[in-house]
Structures are given as structure tokens and as C-alpha cells.
Amino acid sequence: MNTTINERFRIMIETIAPSTCNFAVCMGVSPTVIYNVVKGRNEPSFKLLRKVALTYPVVNLRWLVLGLGDVLNEQTE
């Protein structure tokens, strides 16, 4: 199934955060920024993707940006 980056962003938030607002607070960005990405009004900026990578290293950025793999990185022991 082909999904847009906006759809994958929504799926990621549903997977790692209790709410969109909580996700925005943890990221240090306005909830409006996240809402606009989730609703497809804007695509996530490089700066926002970088914040995701730094705040939630468990997120598979290859999946988020390209749709390849799974939402979360595989756990390594």
C-alpha cells in the first residue's frame, strides 16, 4: 500500500505518542505544525524530520520518508 509522508507521519504519531498534542510538546513544536502535517496541509520540513530523529530514535526514518520497512527500527541486543 502506497502512503504519503503525511499519512506515515500520522501512523508514526499513533504508534509512539498518546496524542498529537503530546507528540508536539515532546518535539518542542507547536501542535498546529503537527496538525497541518497530519492533515496534509504541509509536508514535514527537514528540520521537523531531524527533530523526530533526535527525539524518537526508535522511529525508522527510512520508513517515514520513503515508506520502506517498518515504523519502528528493529531492536538490537
Side-chain angles (χ1 to χ4, degrees):
M1 175 173 117
N2 286 337
T3 57
T4 66
I5 192 168
N6 301 82
E7 292 168 324
R8 291 190 299 275
F9 211 84
R10 178 189 52 79
I11 293 166
M12 174 199 59
I13 293 169
E14 290 173 356
T15 302
I16 63 172
S19 70
T20 302
C21 188
N22 178 270
F23 178 81
V25 168
C26 288
M27 295 281 293
V29 298
S30 165
T32 303
V33 169
I34 303 303
Y35 179 80
N36 286 336
V37 170
V38 169
K39 293 299 180 184
R41 292 189 178 120
N42 299 341
E43 288 191 352
S45 66
F46 177 78
K47 184 176 178 180
L48 185 59
L49 292 172
R50 185 174 183 275
K51 283 187 177 196
V52 169
L54 294 173
T55 307
Y56 297 102
V58 69
V59 171
N60 179 353
L61 292 180
R62 188 173 177 172
W63 172 81
L64 184 58
V65 175
L66 302 173
L68 302 173
D70 295 319
V71 178
L72 302 178
N73 289 315
E74 292 183 24
Q75 297 292 330
T76 56
E77 295 186 31

